[in-house]
Amino acid sequence: MNEEDITESEFYQKYGEPVMEYNRFDGANFVELIQDMQKSVQNESLSADLQQLIDLTNLAIETHEVEYANEIYKILHDLDYFLLRYRIEDVGKYTKDGSCGTVPEYR
C-alpha cells in the first residue's frame, strides 16, 4: 500500500479476491423454505403468519435492522409452541399432503 500510495480499501479492491461461500441458511433460502411450506397450509391464520415471516425476513435482508429479526423470533416462538404443545391430530387438519392433493387423516 505504501509503495503504491493507495488506501487499504483500494489495495483490497485491486489485489483481493472476493470470498463467497454458499449459506443454505441465509435469508433468501429461509424465505424460499417458508414459501414452500406455505403451499401446503390451508388455515388462513397460519398462512398469514408464514407470510408475515416472509415479509419480515425480506425487510431484515434489505435493512439489516434488528427489530425485524426480533419480530421473526416472536412468530417462530409462537409457532414452535403451537407445534410442540399440540399433537399431529390437532395440527394435521391445517395442512394437506401435496402428493395426493387431499387433507391427510390422522388417527
Side-chain angles (χ1 to χ4, degrees):
M1 290 184 321
N2 291 336
E3 289 177 14
E4 296 184 35
D5 194 32
I6 57 176
T7 66
E8 184 176 352
S9 176
E10 292 169 326
F11 175 83
Y12 286 117
Q13 187 175 16
K14 184 174 181 179
Y15 297 107
E17 292 182 30
V19 177
M20 299 181 76
E21 186 173 319
Y22 175 72
N23 178 3
R24 71 182 186 108
F25 299 109
D26 69 2
N29 285 316
F30 180 73
V31 167
E32 188 176 312
L33 174 67
I34 299 301
Q35 287 172 332
D36 189 47
M37 292 170 59
Q38 193 179 30
K39 293 174 188 174
S40 69
V41 172
Q42 293 179 329
N43 180 275
E44 290 180 28
S45 180
L46 180 54
S47 183
D49 284 345
L50 295 177
Q51 186 59 52
Q52 191 173 12
L53 277 175
I54 292 167
D55 296 341
L56 288 167
T57 302
N58 284 327
L59 286 169
I61 292 168
E62 293 170 16
T63 66
H64 299 279
E65 292 188 22
V66 73
E67 68 186 63
Y68 299 119
N70 191 39
E71 292 302 313
I72 291 167
Y73 166 78
K74 290 176 185 177
I75 294 169
L76 291 174
H77 175 270
D78 291 348
L79 289 172
D80 183 47
Y81 178 79
F82 175 77
L83 293 173
L84 291 177
R85 179 176 171 170
Y86 298 102
R87 297 182 308 229
I88 193 67
E89 295 87 2
D90 301 314
V91 178
K93 62 186 171 186
Y94 298 113
T95 64
K96 66 179 178 181
D97 182 352
S99 64
C100 63
T102 62
V103 177
E105 290 186 28
Y106 296 98
R107 300 175 196 260

